[in-house]
Amino acid sequence: MAGEDATVQLEKRNEEPLNYRDGNMSSQWKLNGNNLTNTSMVINPTSNSMVESLSCSSDSMADSFAPPIWNQPIIWQSLGYCDMNVKNNASTSNTLGNGTSIFGPVRSNAMLKGSTFLPDFPVMLPPSLPHFPADSGFIERAARFSCFGGGNFVDMMSPSESLNPYTGDSLEAFMGNGSKSLPAMQSQRHEINAIECSKEVSLPVELGTEGSLIKNDKMIENFPSSHDEAKYGIGVSAHESDEAKFSGSGFQEELDDAAGESSAKGLGSKKRKRTGQGTQINVNNGGRQLATESAKDQAEIQQQGDQNQALSKPGGNRDKSGSQGSDLPKEEYIHVRARRGQATNSHSLAERVRREKLSERMKFLQDLVPGCSKVTGKAVMLDEIINYVQSLQQQVEFLSMKLATVNPWLDFNIGGLVAKDLQTGTIQAVLPGLGSSSVPLQGSVNPQFSTVGGRLRESTSQVHCAWEDELHNIIQMGFNSNEPLNSQNLSGSPRLGHMKTEH
Amino acid sequence: MKARMGNSMFLKHEFLKKWIKGLHIYSNFKKDMSILERKKAIKLSADVAIASTRNASTRWSRTVMANISKNETNKNKILVEQVFSDSGVIKKKASSGLMACRNRIKSKKILRRSHITQIRARKMGPHAVKASFIAKKLVKNRTQVLKNLVPGGENMDEISLIKETLDYIISLRVQVDVMRRLASAAEHSTKSL
């Protein structure tokens, strides 16, 4: 009977791509919702049928129409989503299970719910899973959403300090895309957001971030002026063509492409970029893109990067010197001019500067923390950073334990180690100075030092002599000064001063 | 980044020197130690060494030094003072209190601002609040965790926290790298013995 329903509805569905049934659906949804955790990471074979149905290829779906556990989880994973909005969707998912029993008028609703669900997938959460109307509109919206995720990632990189969440923006954008019933202005904004995130259009991800800025109530003042909206309009028309393209092709590939490209875009444009211009985007700039923006924009922003402490706007504002700590005892003022189309409120300018500083730092962190290049978004980045720091600390503990067991004397016979490893070259670069410096410490030098050295001398006499020479060579080569030979002198502050500037 | 690479080599040298020095001092103090004591000594001298490479210019290094001098016994204090012979540290310790105050004030401002945001967000509508609110909360939670992880990070605002984390990560990496090499070298040497 389910199969019959499927066939019956398949015909209906050719107009409306999604297989949408009432009673079966809801129960199946709930079932699938429960299964989602298991299947979200795996391509459910039933989801393939869903894909087919989505692409309107009709009737490969037979009785085995199972509620579509959709490929979306995969997409989200490729996007590198993490647990974006677990709690959020947990609450909204309940409505999904119950409310989507009616197909037609609920299309927008389904879009809504689908949108709220989308972030959920990587987290494997929602108790119920709706069937997404697989019409072309949905496909493009989903694609947009995935792009938008990438776009919003950028925004997450440099969000406002109120941490405008990507999910919030994307959700709202998505909802705006899905249901035209939203209030007109809001939907416009949503549309703008959606359009921005479209990968097909050459619109920069920046638009997405700008759009997401809209969402942030703090940033309302920064909402682009009508001038920019006109540019967004250009994007809209450009996007329309993409939609047609979307609907035509296979759904899955599109989404995957979207995911890949959006993540690539997220990669390329980590920092939020102001889109003064319209269709052209500089996706690949780093933190200094402000220069390019100002080239196109009318206003300029002069920043000194990390050294900038305080911000002085036209009105003069609170100084941020304290945030830099001891790096710059004097307070320097950044002169910031409002970008074109942005509010000149001193607060917003200060916040913008702050955001940009933050995003710059996050960029550095991305370079440092392995595996962070794809993921942009404050919460996720912070997560990665936390994991990394924790793992480093644990490594220190573990290694110190290991050293304690390996070497019962606590005097590491560095000379011996160096001699040994000079052959292998492992510690060569690290320990040469120590090899010489440990010699003066005759008092506390490991008694084994001589024995080890002696043994080494027996086995590799030539190496030992060569070692001394090597050491000296290395010292002269690698070291800045000869003073490290004296282990008493450890201040070396003039050299250490160099390190402060490394970041 | 390239500057950083060159500097990291230098950092490693410095760290190793200081660390070895600390270890020597330790071994002078106490001849026989249990494994745990040894491990603690190793870790302690490593921490002191890596913190001292920063020359008290960063918050976390100052906090590490302060914690060590404060919590530990006499021997560690002497160790700290010997290894970290830079008098600038002590001066900076005094100023760190002031810094903490300033940062606390900053944090309060931020807190107040975020409260205002929340109130405004709540007025907007259920959808906006839910998504953004929860995401903000997520970030806030994680920031808090990070603050707990990075020594001395509790009172800092976000920007400086990230900066401190950067520095801390670099130093930790140096520490881990040198320790690992030393451990492997020691293993090789003991294997060959």
Side-chain angles (χ1 to χ4, degrees), chain A residues 161-162 165 327 361 368 378-379 393 395 397 402 404 411 421 427 429-431 455 495 499 503, chain B residues 10-11 13-14 16 27 38-39 113 132 135-136 142 158-159 163 167-168 173 180-181 185 193:
Chain A
E161 76 237 2
S162 46
D327 274 344
R361 306 271 167 80
L368 262 190
K378 225 179 188 183
Q393 286 174 342
Q395 277 181 38
E397 294 269 345
K402 186 172 175 190
D411 298 334
D421 284 317
I427 302 196
V430 177
L431 292 180
R455 202 169 300 139
R495 282 200 319 271
M499 278 187 286
H503 49 263
Chain B
F10 180 72
L11 262 180
H13 290 309
E14 289 295 317
L16 190 56
S27 64
R38 274 208 304 278
K39 175 227 171 197
R113 232 184 297 140
S132 60
K136 272 183 227 168
R142 286 168 195 186
E158 255 185 37
I159 294 181
K163 191 162 182 278
D167 198 80
Y168 189 54
R173 271 160 69 143
R180 188 179 290 149
R181 290 197 200 192
L193 286 181

Side-chain angles (χ1 to χ4, degrees), chain A residues 179-463:
Chain A
S179 71
K180 311 299 177 190
S181 57
L182 279 181
M185 192 169 78
Q186 258 197 338
S187 64
Q188 265 180 22
R189 297 186 184 189
H190 294 306
E191 280 292 348
I192 289 169
N193 293 344
I195 289 153
E196 291 159 1
C197 75
S198 165
K199 64 172 167 83
E200 299 298 333
V201 191
S202 64
L203 274 179
V205 173
E206 305 142 40
L207 278 181
T209 61
E210 282 298 335
S212 55
L213 267 185
I214 298 166
K215 285 309 134 195
N216 187 3
D217 30 321
K218 287 208 91 155
M219 292 304 123
I220 294 288
E221 47 224 15
N222 285 339
F223 188 75
S225 65
S226 54
H227 170 80
D228 296 321
E229 290 210 15
K231 290 175 189 163
Y232 292 163
I234 301 171
V236 179
S237 53
H239 188 67
E240 297 298 308
S241 56
D242 300 324
E243 299 185 357
K245 186 175 158 193
F246 271 25
S247 53
S249 39
F251 178 56
Q252 186 174 0
E253 298 97 44
E254 285 292 302
L255 280 179
D256 286 346
D257 277 353
E261 288 196 10
S262 62
S263 55
K265 259 201 172 163
L267 242 173
S269 60
K270 292 180 196 164
K271 187 161 149 64
R272 176 181 69 85
K273 299 179 181 63
R274 172 92 179 110
T275 149
Q277 44 288 9
T279 54
Q280 214 37 34
I281 283 93
N282 293 328
V283 182
N284 299 321
N285 293 345
R288 303 293 161 237
Q289 78 236 354
L290 293 173
T292 55
E293 290 166 5
S294 63
K296 300 178 185 177
D297 260 351
Q298 314 260 329
E300 304 168 12
I301 292 180
Q302 305 152 11
Q303 273 193 355
Q304 307 168 18
D306 284 358
Q307 315 306 333
N308 290 340
Q309 304 312 314
L311 162 66
S312 113
K313 277 134 310 198
N317 211 347
R318 63 185 183 272
D319 71 71
K320 298 173 170 282
S321 60
S323 71
Q324 290 302 328
S326 55
D327 274 344
L328 272 187
K330 291 186 201 158
E331 298 169 1
E332 298 179 2
Y333 286 89
I334 308 170
H335 290 274
V336 179
R337 288 174 67 184
R339 288 188 193 151
R340 181 175 184 172
Q342 279 196 346
T344 53
N345 191 4
S346 59
H347 284 295
S348 59
L349 282 173
E351 280 162 9
R352 181 153 50 84
V353 169
R354 196 174 170 282
R355 262 204 319 280
E356 279 156 358
K357 264 196 239 171
L358 208 60
S359 67
E360 234 176 292
R361 306 271 167 80
M362 295 288 250
K363 211 169 70 75
F364 285 134
L365 272 174
Q366 273 198 338
D367 296 333
L368 262 190
V369 177
C372 240
S373 53
K374 293 182 213 139
V375 179
T376 56
K378 225 179 188 183
V380 182
M381 274 278 313
L382 279 176
D383 208 27
E384 290 292 321
I385 292 166
I386 287 171
N387 288 339
Y388 191 53
V389 169
Q390 273 174 343
S391 78
L392 282 176
Q393 286 174 342
Q394 281 169 9
Q395 277 181 38
V396 168
E397 294 269 345
F398 170 72
L399 280 171
S400 61
M401 189 55 156
K402 186 172 175 190
L403 281 170
T405 58
V406 149
N407 200 333
W409 317 287
L410 203 59
D411 298 334
F412 296 99
N413 44 351
I414 301 298
L417 294 176
V418 171
K420 184 70 175 140
D421 284 317
L422 261 181
Q423 306 174 18
T424 60
T426 51
I427 302 196
Q428 176 174 356
V430 177
L431 292 180
L434 252 294
S436 343
S437 68
S438 62
V439 170
L441 294 173
Q442 284 303 328
S444 51
V445 163
N446 189 348
Q448 288 235 352
F449 174 75
S450 48
T451 56
V452 172
R455 202 169 300 139
L456 283 171
R457 223 173 277 123
E458 292 163 352
S459 56
T460 62
S461 51
Q462 300 150 349
V463 174

Side-chain angles (χ1 to χ4, degrees), chain B residues 71-83:
Chain B
N71 294 336
E72 307 292 334
T73 63
N74 269 345
K75 124 176 111 176
N76 295 339
K77 276 198 182 136
I78 300 173
L79 167 73
V80 167
E81 282 159 24
Q82 278 192 2
V83 171

